[in-house]
Amino acid sequence: MSKDSGTPTYVEPGEEFDRDMNYIPDRITAEPGRSRDPHDPAARDGALEVATWPIEPGRYRLVAAQACPWANRSIIVRRLLGLEDVLSLGTPGPVHDDRSWTFDLDEGDRDPVLGIERLQEAYFERDPDYPRGITVPALVEVESGKVVTNDFPSITHDLFFEWRDHHRPGAPDLWPEDVREEMEEVMQRVFTEVNNGVYRCGFAGSQASYDAAFDRLWAALDWLEERLTDRRYLMGDVITEADIRLFTTLVRFDAVYHGHFKCNRQRLTEMPALWGYARDLFQTPGFGETIDFEQIKAHYYVVHSDVNPTGIVPRGPEPDWWDSPHGREALGGTPIEAW
């Protein structure tokens, strides 16, 4: 079974898609065994119930394919927080086989820092019998070559809370305290119904499971369309982690999910609030520059051979649309400025 950041590329006929959320739970924290986030669900009285690794500039490498929406989150957060000088980035190519993501974009087909051809090597360095999918994003310890964690929600969470001593001046507050409780609820709904919802449609193993997934996805997108009609960002006036998590699905919607995953009630471009919102984020520093539509399309249309057996990659849609005026300034808010 091949995996795309934990996603099987086939589902047995008649089955409903169920994402495997079992990841390596280790964390990289500022203080060993403790979390800086008082609301951290893994913490009890300030202590973490998982193995923790110390923060050291240059010690770790973030391996994150631009094609993958789950990895794309970490690339955006790293960029917004200004962590480029303390946490290096390795970018596998968009097309992988059943074994692993590969570094075919790099000279000699090897990651220039880790010296490996396949991300699989870092997983096997930690556990020669690693039984699960070789997923991105992954944080790898450079010296040992071992993967530390591939728990994608915790990676972006910890880049904000744990690495804050290394954030750039003026870095955005991606987890505002005053909206944190509601934000957690919004992010959970975005994850289950939208981020994962498009996969539930695309990998449905029966008409009934597809129909149910389709209805759930569009109920959530209609809710988001209404929510974003009179507010600039998901939580109001400022960009948060919730916006990053939604953006990486929206930016892939018309290019991939609408057709490839059969999420075709409407195109994103036909939903005024969501389309304007997505362009607003795309044109925000730290977002659009992380997007490579050719890599995104190559990944989905080539790797998912069960969904697209011909391997033909569509030429559209036109990427220049993303740079067109969005008009969201009329809603006010405080966008992230270039730094």
Side-chain angles (χ1 to χ4, degrees):
M1 181 181 296
S2 175
K3 290 198 174 187
D4 164 19
S5 197
T7 303
T9 59
Y10 67 85
V11 173
E12 294 295 338
E15 290 186 359
E16 178 179 329
F17 169 70
D18 183 23
R19 179 174 297 279
D20 179 1
M21 288 295 290
N22 291 294
Y23 295 98
I24 300 170
D26 290 14
R27 306 273 289 276
I28 298 174
T29 60
E31 183 178 348
R34 302 184 69 82
S35 173
R36 283 182 164 180
D37 175 11
H39 304 287
D40 192 331
R44 183 179 58 194
D45 299 326
L48 289 175
E49 299 177 2
V50 299
T52 58
W53 301 57
I55 289 177
E56 295 178 18
R59 179 169 175 172
Y60 308 100
R61 186 161 176 81
L62 173 64
V63 178
Q66 286 182 274
C68 170
W70 316 99
N72 194 180
R73 292 181 182 183
S74 61
I75 298 174
I76 293 171
V77 170
R78 171 182 175 269
R79 177 82 179 109
L80 292 178
L81 299 179
L83 294 171
E84 295 95 329
D85 291 340
V86 297
L87 179 64
S88 65
L89 175 66
T91 52
V95 178
H96 61 72
D97 58 21
D98 286 347
R99 292 169 58 193
S100 176
W101 293 87
T102 58
F103 295 95
D104 50 292
L105 299 179
D106 293 305
E107 184 176 354
D109 295 337
R110 288 184 178 273
D111 180 89
V113 172
L114 300 174
I116 57 178
E117 293 181 331
R118 294 174 173 274
L119 181 56
Q120 183 183 56
E121 296 173 52
Y123 280 76
F124 287 170
E125 193 66 40
R126 175 176 173 135
D127 179 1
D129 298 316
Y130 185 73
R132 316 196 80 85
I134 308 302
T135 68
V136 291
L139 283 165
V140 179
E141 185 181 40
V142 174
E143 183 175 356
S144 69
K146 296 178 180 179
V147 66
V148 174
T149 182
N150 62 342
D151 187 353
F152 66 90
S154 291
I155 287 175
T156 53
H157 171 280
D158 290 346
L159 288 180
F160 177 76
F161 284 100
E162 304 301 327
W163 292 74
R164 59 177 48 170
D165 292 343
H166 303 284
H167 291 181
R168 65 175 177 85
D173 181 0
L174 299 178
W175 295 75
E177 180 68 27
D178 61 335
V179 296
R180 177 72 181 277
E181 185 175 351
E182 183 189 5
M183 179 176 143
E184 294 276 14
E185 296 173 357
V186 169
M187 290 194 300
Q188 181 63 22
R189 186 170 182 182
V190 167
F191 169 69
T192 59
E193 305 306 297
V194 181
N195 301 147
N196 201 38
V198 293
Y199 284 86
R200 197 181 293 112
C201 289
F203 293 139
S206 70
Q207 187 68 50
S209 61
Y210 165 74
D211 290 345
F214 185 93
D215 289 344
R216 285 179 61 179
L217 170 66
W218 283 102
L221 289 174
D222 287 340
W223 164 68
L224 288 165
E225 175 74 7
E226 181 178 358
R227 183 180 182 91
L228 289 164
T229 296
D230 59 0
R231 65 177 78 195
R232 188 157 183 182
Y233 307 113
L234 278 176
M235 303 313 303
D237 289 339
V238 296
I239 290 172
T240 67
E241 170 96 6
D243 297 294
I244 297 167
R245 295 184 179 197
L246 178 57
F247 171 77
T248 58
T249 295
L250 295 183
V251 78
R252 289 162 173 77
F253 197 87
D254 284 4
V256 176
Y257 304 140
H258 179 272
H260 184 60
F261 277 178
K262 307 179 185 69
C263 303
N264 61 354
R265 193 193 78 179
Q266 291 170 266
R267 293 178 174 84
L268 181 65
T269 56
E270 297 168 335
M271 303 190 76
L274 279 169
W275 175 226
Y277 163 81
R279 280 177 292 155
D280 190 1
L281 291 177
F282 184 88
Q283 294 168 32
T284 297
F287 284 80
E289 67 243 40
T290 73
I291 302 301
D292 186 318
F293 286 109
E294 294 309 310
Q295 287 197 43
I296 288 169
K297 290 189 294 183
H299 171 67
Y300 284 91
Y301 287 100
V302 174
V303 172
H304 299 161
S305 57
D306 52 329
V307 179
N308 184 41
T310 65
I312 294 172
V313 179
R315 294 177 62 179
E318 176 54 59
D320 290 348
W321 294 350
W322 285 91
D323 293 319
S324 63
H326 53 72
R328 301 283 290 179
E329 302 92 341
L331 296 173
T334 307
I336 295 171
E337 302 292 343
W339 60 93

